[in-house]
Amino acid sequence: MARVSLDNPAYFINREASWLEFNRRVLQEAEDETNPVLERVKFLAITANNLDEFFEVRVAGLVQQIEDGFTQGGPDGLTLSEERALIAKTAKRFVDEQYRCWNEALLPELMESGIRVLGMEDLAPEARAFAEEYCEKELDPLLTPVTVDPAHPFPRVINKALCMAFLLRRRRRSSMTYMGVITVPRALPRLVRLPSEGTADYIFLADLVAYHAARMYRGYEIVSSAAFRVTRNSNLYLQEEESRNILESVRAELHNRRKGDAVRLEIEANANQEIIDRLRTNFELDPWQVFSVDGPVNLSRLFTVYDRTDRPELKFRPFTPRELRLTGKTKDLFEELREHDILLHHPYDSYEAVVSFVESAAADPNVLAIKQTLYRTGDNSPIVQALIAAAETKEVTAVVELKARFDEASNIRWARDMEDAGVQVFHGLVGLKTHCKLCLLVRRDPDGVTRRYCHIGTGNYNPSTSKIYTDFSLFTANPEITSAAHNVFSFLTAYAEHPDYDPLLVAPLHLAEQCLALIDRETEHAVAGRPARIIAKMNALLDKNMVVALYRAAQAGVEIDLIVRGICSLRPGIRGVSSRIHVRSIVGRYLEHSRVFDFANGGDGETWIGSADWMPRNLYDRVDVLIPVRDEMIRERIRHEILDALLQDNRKDRPVAARWVLPSYPPCPTGPGSSRTRRLQRAGIFHGVGGREGVSGCHSFAADTPHSGPDRKRKLGIHGHLFSTPRQRRPAFRQPQKG
């Protein structure tokens, strides 16, 4: 039988179509009536925020390529122009779905729950008086009305700034119309809370600007008005090889982000056509780039409703993570690590242990040196503060990635603060992003021996996002791993390449090559009749070489399960090519962010975790690391407690089909009769989400796990938690019931 060619474009899903389908899965969470209503509002705002970034980066880059004369697309066979047409059609259909969700589902349910978003015409006398006073005292001093004429050119509209456009006519010369523009001030909340009794009432700030405009355009008749917003190209264009200082180059380029070329215009659906035409001309946009919306422009403003409404019964029940506790025989974490590795699964296990790892090292006189990578740290980072404090008495090195998209300004500020404190700050390697999550300590222990201790994570060193992202933290004192981590830091600070980094896989040096070898090894096992299976969990699967290797493995008989949250270019279910490949995406309360790669390896299983997705940027354009899980109990915990639970998810699992555009799937039916529910209940692992029986991959964990000591193996025999805690059942995620 002839071997099937795997270069067929029909075997690959378009990257941008796959991403848009991912965002649709987030929108499904906003549509899911089993989620609390304020959480649904938040999910809707997240989809809007996601779409903003998609246009700022992906669509902007595509438009730039087309303008520069490029035509060839990706492995799916679409030209860039065809891809642009696909994006325009799919994105506009998606925007219609967003506003249908807002108008037909969320607004009525918010109203039923006593949360009202009102217009000026809906206000009671007391609320109207408040609004008018607010306009005079708070809003008016911040507004600058502009009338466009030869003496007053069209104002510079910065990226994603919400504006009001007006079609004006002078009362004395009524034959001519003018364009008026007012920028809605960012210093004020996007939704203003109104005085009310028994309800939480809001009005959009843009509605107040429109109402107040008549007093600002005296002498004019306002013929028509419409809110609009322009999205601009936010890519940074750096010539790193020619730059003397990457920090200064990034800082200078950040100023251009707010005024890049326009790529999208959002405007109210009832806008006067003359306003649309004038805006299109001014921003040099084609018709496909204009998005008419049936509701408030910029749905990400709805975060305000979630944040400012104190109704805990309309949100997910608060969750308290498990704290790291040492076994009774050890005095501190370092002594524990000399005995065995520790794995934490965030957010179910508290991230405070990671923060304490760095903070205690900063205060420990026996710690001689700290080395740390930083990608997205957030504001008021306790880890950065600890590094600054440690620099007074220790050798502290920080590799700060200045090009972490949309975190550049924060990282520049932290880099300067650390440099001022005496930290040796490096900005990675020219042409590569530092994406690996490493912290390495050098400590002289009480026995007089100097040892290294390492934390390797799948997520950023950010305590805030650790509460909503699922990630792994692995602590180890394994000499091979810590020595390899030391060599990675040498690569980052001196571009010093070592002969090998075993047992770590390091991008861009050999991670891609080794991952392909792991897949090929599984293929060989299948051909030889040995156990062969791959379970891979990641954020995105896009690299063509990886996809082709997986196809070949499936053809050889390898059973493959992929858990891909976002983009997936692999098309499952093709007879003779990918019929043994099953792809699912899990979207829910927590963002699935961890990367896990599990191989049956002929019966001698291997598991790897790390920060790298199977995407070209992770494999070839970033410094990323995968680490083998050496502790068998930890490996079994990952395999059975986490991966098995995700593969059997019956609430938030959306299978990916072989269609061109991935289909939408409603939440799977669930109930006490579900076989998976019964199995997890018998194991004491699961006891309901939201007051109903069911399982979400975002909520799967072992609730009754003894973490270490003699009971660790006897009670479960599979888990690698290393705390000494009593048996304590985790609280169920019970959501409020209506009525």
Side-chain angles (χ1 to χ4, degrees):
M1 181 178 175
R3 187 172 183 178
V4 177
S5 171
L6 299 178
D7 287 330
N8 189 337
Y11 295 164
F12 299 88
I13 298 172
N14 178 266
R15 171 187 175 136
E16 315 307 347
S18 180
W19 184 91
L20 288 165
E21 189 61 29
F22 155 70
N23 210 28
R24 180 174 283 113
R25 294 193 288 272
V26 181
L27 180 60
Q28 288 173 0
E29 291 299 301
E31 297 168 340
D32 186 351
E33 295 180 0
T34 66
N35 288 328
V37 64
L38 286 176
E39 299 293 346
R40 294 170 64 191
V41 171
K42 185 177 179 180
F43 277 118
L44 181 61
I46 289 171
T47 68
N49 201 58
N50 289 347
L51 198 62
D52 284 350
E53 185 171 335
F54 178 71
F55 272 88
E56 289 178 273
V57 178
R58 297 300 308 172
V59 177
L62 176 65
V63 170
Q64 185 72 55
Q65 285 183 296
I66 293 173
E67 290 179 354
D68 291 344
F70 293 95
T71 59
Q72 187 175 359
D76 58 281
L78 292 183
T79 66
L80 295 185
S81 296
E82 290 170 335
E83 188 172 65
R84 180 181 62 188
L86 174 65
I87 290 171
K89 180 180 178 181
T90 309
K92 289 195 174 184
R93 185 169 62 243
F94 176 78
V95 169
D96 289 343
E97 293 174 6
Q98 284 181 306
Y99 282 89
R100 191 178 305 116
C101 176
W102 171 246
N103 292 318
E104 299 178 11
L106 295 182
L107 264 180
E109 188 161 342
L110 286 170
M111 186 79 71
E112 289 179 11
S113 302
I115 302 169
R116 304 189 299 174
V117 180
L118 306 173
M120 284 298 297
E121 66 280 4
D122 303 318
L123 300 189
E126 181 183 356
R128 177 175 284 273
F130 171 87
E132 291 180 349
E133 183 179 6
Y134 187 91
C135 288
E136 289 295 332
K137 293 184 177 180
E138 303 290 338
L139 184 59
D140 187 82
L142 302 181
L143 297 180
T144 303
V146 175
T147 302
V148 179
D149 61 22
H152 303 88
F154 200 99
R156 185 70 186 181
V157 176
I158 63 175
N159 184 34
K160 297 187 293 187
L162 184 62
C163 302
M164 293 297 304
F166 302 91
L167 200 60
L168 307 172
R169 183 179 293 122
R170 287 190 180 275
R171 298 187 186 279
R172 295 182 180 179
R173 291 180 289 174
S174 59
S175 60
M176 294 184 60
T177 56
Y178 299 84
M179 186 79 165
V181 178
I182 300 178
T183 299
V184 179
R186 294 187 172 191
L188 298 177
R190 289 318 194 187
L191 282 97
V192 178
R193 184 75 179 261
L194 299 169
S196 59
E197 293 185 8
T199 59
D201 292 352
Y202 297 91
I203 186 171
F204 282 106
L205 183 63
D207 290 347
L208 294 179
V209 173
Y211 171 75
H212 192 64
R215 303 183 188 183
M216 308 196 75
Y217 284 109
R218 298 184 185 277
Y220 290 92
E221 173 193 357
I222 298 179
V223 178
S224 182
S225 66
F228 74 93
R229 193 173 75 131
V230 170
T231 308
R232 296 184 178 276
N233 185 338
S234 296
N235 288 296
L236 299 185
Y237 297 96
L238 301 172
Q239 299 295 329
E240 295 185 47
E241 293 82 358
E242 301 174 10
S243 173
R244 294 185 178 182
N245 186 310
I246 290 181
L247 187 148
E248 291 302 325
S249 297
V250 173
R251 187 178 66 84
E253 188 65 19
L254 284 177
H255 291 290
N256 296 327
R257 170 175 285 168
R258 304 176 77 187
K259 51 188 180 181
D261 292 341
V263 293
R264 177 182 59 162
L265 170 66
E266 299 167 272
I267 191 165
E268 291 177 319
N270 60 357
N272 186 292
Q273 187 60 43
E274 186 174 349
I275 291 179
I276 297 175
D277 292 341
R278 292 192 183 196
L279 291 175
R280 266 194 58 208
T281 300
N282 180 77
F283 296 118
E284 300 179 338
L285 295 171
D286 294 328
W288 71 269
Q289 295 171 289
V290 178
F291 287 73
S292 297
V293 300
D294 184 20
V297 174
N298 182 17
L299 289 172
S300 60
R301 291 184 285 171
L302 299 178
F303 280 119
T304 303
V305 176
Y306 181 91
D307 293 334
R308 301 192 66 188
T309 304
D310 187 19
R311 295 285 298 278
E313 76 278 11
L314 301 180
K315 299 179 181 181
F316 288 132
R317 183 175 177 174
F319 171 68
T320 302
R322 202 164 26 187
E323 296 292 337
L324 170 61
R325 298 182 186 178
L326 305 178
T327 56
K329 297 180 180 179
T330 56
K331 297 178 181 179
D332 55 36
L333 178 62
F334 302 110
E335 185 176 346
E336 187 101 8
L337 290 177
R338 291 196 293 273
E339 297 294 326
H340 50 67
D341 295 348
I342 293 177
L343 178 78
L344 302 181
H345 186 203
H346 311 297
Y348 315 114
D349 296 321
S350 173
Y351 196 77
E352 186 59 31
V354 180
V355 175
S356 296
F357 182 68
V358 182
E359 288 181 336
S360 61
D364 187 346
N366 293 323
V367 172
L368 308 177
I370 304 174
K371 297 183 180 183
Q372 175 84 54
T373 63
L374 296 171
Y375 190 74
R376 300 187 192 277
T377 60
D379 297 326
N380 304 316
S381 169
I383 288 177
V384 173
Q385 297 293 350
L387 296 176
I388 290 173
E392 295 182 6
T393 57
K394 309 177 193 305
E395 298 297 323
V396 181
T397 301
V399 182
V400 182
E401 180 47 67
L402 299 179
K403 303 183 293 298
R405 186 173 288 127
F406 302 118
D407 280 87
E408 299 96 341
S410 173
N411 287 2
I412 287 173
R413 185 180 71 252
W414 284 128
R416 286 178 164 171
D417 289 348
M418 286 189 289
E419 284 178 337
D420 291 344
V423 176
Q424 295 186 70
V425 178
F426 299 90
H427 305 138
L429 302 174
V430 172
L432 299 173
K433 282 188 178 182
T434 303
H435 189 250
C436 54
K437 325 299 181 186
L438 298 175
C439 179
L440 185 67
L441 311 181
V442 180
R443 186 176 190 263
R444 182 176 293 113
D445 288 325
D447 60 3
V449 178
T450 299
R451 296 183 178 90
R452 299 188 184 102
Y453 299 86
C454 187
H455 168 269
I456 300 180
T458 65
N460 297 306
Y461 287 99
N462 188 322
S464 298
T465 58
S466 72
K467 297 175 182 177
I468 56 175
Y469 287 19
T470 71
D471 271 307
F472 289 119
S473 284
L474 183 69
F475 296 92
T476 185
N478 181 291
E480 290 183 343
I481 293 175
T482 57
S483 177
H486 172 78
N487 292 339
V488 172
F489 275 104
S490 296
F491 176 62
L492 289 169
T493 59
Y495 221 141
E497 293 191 26
H498 290 260
D500 66 68
Y501 295 83
D502 289 344
L504 303 183
L505 305 184
V506 181
L509 301 177
H510 65 295
L511 191 150
E513 176 186 346
Q514 292 298 319
C515 284
L516 290 171
L518 291 171
I519 298 172
D520 291 342
R521 184 184 66 184
E522 219 62 24
T523 303
E524 294 171 3
H525 285 310
V527 171
R530 295 186 290 269
R533 188 183 184 190
I534 298 172
I535 304 174
K537 178 181 183 292
M538 65 198 87
N539 296 336
L541 170 57
L542 191 62
D543 184 69
K544 182 179 179 181
N545 293 330
M546 293 295 175
V547 172
V548 170
L550 291 170
Y551 283 156
R552 287 181 180 146
Q555 289 175 323
V558 180
E559 293 294 331
I560 301 172
D561 283 289
L562 303 175
I563 305 165
V564 185
R565 187 195 78 225
I567 303 166
C568 179
S569 63
L570 181 148
R571 191 183 298 280
I574 303 173
R575 182 177 299 177
V577 176
S578 58
S579 55
R580 287 188 174 89
I581 302 178
H582 308 278
V583 184
R584 69 201 70 217
S585 175
I586 296 175
V587 177
R589 176 177 181 176
Y590 299 123
L591 183 86
E592 291 293 331
H593 192 255
S594 56
R595 290 87 163 181
V596 188
F597 306 92
D598 186 81
F599 302 89
N601 189 28
D604 184 19
E606 283 187 6
T607 302
W608 299 75
I609 63 174
S611 54
D613 294 311
W614 283 348
M615 299 180 70
R617 70 183 187 188
N618 293 94
L619 301 174
Y620 313 114
D621 299 326
R622 292 181 173 184
V623 179
D624 259 316
V625 168
L626 293 182
I627 177 175
V629 178
R630 293 287 181 83
D631 186 303
E632 188 59 28
M633 289 186 181
I634 291 180
R635 181 181 177 272
E636 287 298 306
R637 179 194 171 199
I638 292 173
R639 179 66 179 79
H640 293 290
E641 175 190 325
I642 298 164
L643 292 180
D644 279 357
L646 292 173
L647 292 175
Q648 298 178 68
D649 190 311
N650 62 6
R651 290 199 65 237
K652 299 299 183 183
D653 168 40
R654 278 91 168 180
V656 173
R659 290 171 48 187
W660 166 248
V661 177
L662 309 186
S664 298
Y665 286 85
C668 298
T670 182
S674 128
S675 61
R676 182 190 183 216
T677 299
R678 289 197 301 270
R679 185 178 70 81
L680 292 176
Q681 285 177 323
R682 284 197 299 269
I685 293 175
F686 180 76
H687 29 266
V689 177
R692 293 166 302 281
E693 301 299 336
V695 174
S696 161
C698 303
H699 303 82
S700 54
F701 47 78
D704 301 85
T705 307
H707 297 292
S708 79
D711 287 343
R712 183 169 101 160
K713 214 167 192 177
R714 176 172 58 81
K715 289 191 176 179
L716 286 175
I718 61 173
H719 297 288
H721 262 301
L722 294 168
F723 313 127
S724 177
T725 56
R727 290 175 61 85
Q728 180 178 0
R729 184 175 295 278
R730 280 187 183 272
F733 290 91
R734 298 195 177 275
Q735 298 170 4
Q737 302 298 311
K738 291 185 179 179

